[in-house]
Amino acid sequence: MAFLRSICAQRATTNLVYSRNKSNRSTTSGWSVRSKATTASPISATAGSASHQDFRHDIDRDQDDLTYSKTSKCQINRRQQQHRELLSNILYSPDHTSRHSVFTKSSLNRSVVTARQEAEPEVKRPRSHKPTQQQQPDVPINPQRDPLDASFNDPVAAFKSKTTWELIRAYLVYAVCSIETVVDNNHKIMKITRALIGDRLFALLMKSTFYGHFVAGENRHTIVPTLERLRSFGVKPILDYSVEEDLSQEEAEKREVESSVSSVGDIKDDGAIPQYHVDKSFADRRYKVSSARTYFYLNEATCERNMEIFIKCLEAVSGATFGTGITAIKLTALGRPQLLLQVSEVIMRTRKYMEDLVGGQGNVLSHHKTINDLEKYYSSLGDNKNVQDFLKNVTSDKEGILHLFPWSGIVDEDSQLSDTFRVPDPQTGQMRRLISQIPPKEEEMFRNMIRRVNTIVKAAAELDVRIMIDAEQTYFQPAISRITLEMMRKYNKEKAIVFNTYQCYLREAFKEVCTDLEQAKRQNFYFGAKLVRGAYIEQERERAASMDYPDPICPNYEATTDMYHQTLTECLRRIKLLKDSGEDAKKIGIMVASHNEDTVRFAIERMKEIGISPEDKVICFGQLLGMCDYITFPLGQAGYSAYKYIPYGPVNEVLPYLSRRAQENKGVLKKIQKEKRLLLSEIRRRFFTGKIFYKPKGKYVPI
């Protein structure tokens, strides 16, 4: 106690400023203590706008775990070490840091200042994410396993992880989500309420209602109790820092149009595909989208900041989940959308070129042509140097051609897009571009985007956390999938670190998955896939009709379900083949990300039919926090690999996320009705059996 009083006295007289060890961002980086008179870091002194200050205030607290500066262990006795740990706990508390601490940015964050230039030069940033020896969780001697009710009608299994108050709150939240007028105007209502009662009372109100139900907490420290409780009931997390910009439609459209067109203009040559060019009518990509977050490009500095946020999610999930966690990212957060549009158009023009050359349809790989076959098609050109140079760079193996272009060079090296995407004209032999000339500044932006993705995935591999790269609109998706597959090839050598996302409402979903499975097999890397129905159905249909290209969406809900089940069945079939042949069945890993209990039930039944058990760890299930608990928790408690998508962030900055959750729940009234019925049943049971003050305590261990 005397020691604590002395510390409090020091805090009353002297404010301390702590700076991080700039040479190492790993979890063993050091404290250094300075007087407040010491000059603050440049980035702290020039914080910029209020929004940037808010961001830094929240994120800076979540910087790497801080420990004392290295001192020879032989000079530190046990009592001194205990005092240091106590001091660290006091000073690292959120209450203290919010009032007294100023953290000096690392060299990585300082680069964000220089990155505010329109075209940021590539910066080589050394970063260490070597995993430290983590304290292992308390594992029950006899972990509990419950039988699964595949009808998902057991309220006790669904809600044994909840207190009675949490059940009542959930019921009220779902009741409000059933009121159409409130849901349609929820964002306005929240803004008005916040203006009337002030930020503090509004935050308390939200934490007691919608925020408390759908969001885990404000930062990586306050979410820990939620993650620990989930784990004790057999459920693992997918973390997402869910702060979103609250842009007007006009600002969103302005940003999107400016960032989707090259500085040399929107060039449309004879082979241009309109689908992969921006249309102002659909520039606000949030249009009719309630279940997916949207990023709008501002500059390279915001992309750098987004990379930092994603890495913090990795660090948070690594420290709290003992190697079982996942982080979700979007590529539109990491680079200029114009570049994704151009690369997507190149991919589709390449497919058209291959179809014209050899006949048939589909991905280049699916034609199963060899280099010798291509030489025959070009034979009329004679000994053409352009053709010979082109053929040298074609990616192929003993089974045939994988890609016409060296994608590995684009991801691993500093290849120029304008020089890479060229093909010989079959009639003249002259090289022609499949992409318009890209200015050097935009070439640099593309390399920066790839560098950010590489940095994130490398950190994930070192921290033993998996990365799920979300699917986006069809005009971005060819580029997103291609980059993701190349990251799989590079990092999924020993296990699945990178997962691609496939939207099964797309007519081509099954073919795309089969093609990517074949590439994984031929290039010998682990394949990871998250299967979803899709988030952009209305927007995609209207855009296709407006711009006069074929509707990419399945005709109806039933067709989407069939596509989902067909794709899942094919993945399970290939897993079974691996298992039967004695190969590693984990070469294919699938997440069934669905709130549809029929689809979840279908997956479970198919697993049983073909002999895949939960212990094989090749199939997992995922749902959003606060939605479909009656599916997730019974699965986890029965020994299946079950995940909750865990959003977190400051109350006032996650309002767009909460607004989307309200809209999404309005669209799934059937699920809400079932969840409300089960909630009410469990609330009544607790009242009638005297378990009103029930305290959840699980003895489950996630698979």
Side-chain angles (χ1 to χ4, degrees), residues 154 262 319 443 589 660:
D154 184 352
S262 172
E443 291 270 9
R660 288 194 288 104

Side-chain angles (χ1 to χ4, degrees), residues 38 57 65 92 95 175 182 197 237 304 309 353 371 416 418 464 484 488 492 527 559 658 677:
T38 306
H57 178 74
D65 295 334
Y92 196 58
D95 180 62
V182 173
I197 66 177
E304 208 70 21
I309 293 171
Y353 175 84
I371 298 290
Q416 297 287 316
S418 299
D464 196 21
T484 303
M488 283 192 203
N492 288 11
F527 177 79
L658 293 173
R677 174 174 59 79

Side-chain angles (χ1 to χ4, degrees), residues 119-125 413-414 444 447-448 450-451:
E120 175 194 47
E122 183 173 4
V123 180
K124 304 294 183 183
R125 297 180 172 88
E413 303 164 13
D414 291 339
E444 190 72 26
R447 288 197 294 274
N448 280 336
I450 296 301
R451 169 182 53 77

